[in-house]
Amino acid sequence: DKHFAYLENSLAQLEFDIGDARTLLESQVPQNFDVLIVDAFSGDAIPVHLITSEALQLYLRHLSHTGVLAFHVSNKFLDLKPLILGLTKQTKQAVGYIPSKEDNTHGAFEADWVLVAKDPSFFDDKAVQAVLHPFPDYPELIVWTDDFSNLFDLLF
């Protein structure tokens, strides 16, 4: 596929599991990932089960002690940042916001990322600090669970 040519060009050993990411992770022993990317929110249909308190606990279980969880939160209709902030405040994780601009020379789209680090010193790195932006002020942080979510709380 032309959109994922970078996978073919990667020098890394790649392994794929096809299916719902949360379901797959629930059935596995902790993987000790250095980076775990959650990138499923840019379309109109938001997979709520991937951004709940229970899902965050699962992701954290699969990260190494210095691992980073990267949420791609770009969306035309919903602001997911107060949700990720609410979830991370609940678990006392370090969190940072990185918006990026479109870069046609590298085939990159404009994107918003929220990074969650198990080790807060990740955000002390000069390269990371150079791209961090402050979060907007939110009057209320949001926490979703497997039993409760409300998309109206996140509308722009």
Side-chain angles (χ1 to χ4, degrees):
D1 186 311
K2 68 178 181 162
H3 297 292
F4 297 106
Y6 60 89
L7 294 175
E8 291 177 11
N9 299 331
S10 174
L11 299 177
Q13 179 181 345
L14 302 175
E15 187 177 311
F16 299 94
D17 290 327
I18 306 299
D20 178 83
R22 182 169 170 186
T23 303
L24 290 169
L25 287 174
E26 285 172 342
S27 68
Q28 297 175 354
V29 298
Q31 298 295 309
N32 290 315
F33 293 125
D34 293 322
V35 178
L36 179 59
I37 299 171
V38 182
D39 182 9
F41 310 117
S42 57
D44 293 344
I46 300 294
V48 171
H49 73 291
L50 297 180
I51 46 176
T52 64
S53 180
E54 295 86 352
L56 179 62
Q57 290 295 330
L58 175 66
Y59 303 147
L60 293 173
R61 184 172 64 99
H62 280 279
L63 287 178
S64 70
H65 70 281
T66 57
V68 175
L69 177 59
F71 285 97
H72 178 209
V73 296
S74 302
N75 191 283
K76 293 179 183 177
F77 308 107
L78 303 173
D79 185 2
L80 297 166
K81 292 183 293 297
L83 173 58
I84 307 299
L85 280 171
L87 292 171
T88 56
K89 184 175 183 181
Q90 192 179 49
T91 60
K92 298 179 174 57
Q93 300 299 308
V95 63
Y97 169 51
I98 299 177
S100 65
K101 300 277 186 216
E102 184 173 343
D103 182 353
N104 289 326
T105 61
H106 292 98
F109 296 101
E110 182 176 328
D112 286 341
W113 292 88
V114 176
L115 303 183
V116 180
K118 284 184 102 172
D119 180 355
S121 69
F122 170 81
F123 292 107
D124 296 336
D125 183 275
K126 288 181 183 181
V128 175
Q129 285 194 350
V131 294
L132 282 176
H133 283 68
F135 280 96
D137 287 327
Y138 293 106
E140 187 176 337
L141 298 181
I142 299 161
V143 175
W144 285 355
T145 67
D146 286 346
D147 296 325
F148 177 80
S149 61
N150 184 350
L151 289 174
F152 290 110
D153 289 338
L154 303 176
L155 288 173
F156 278 112

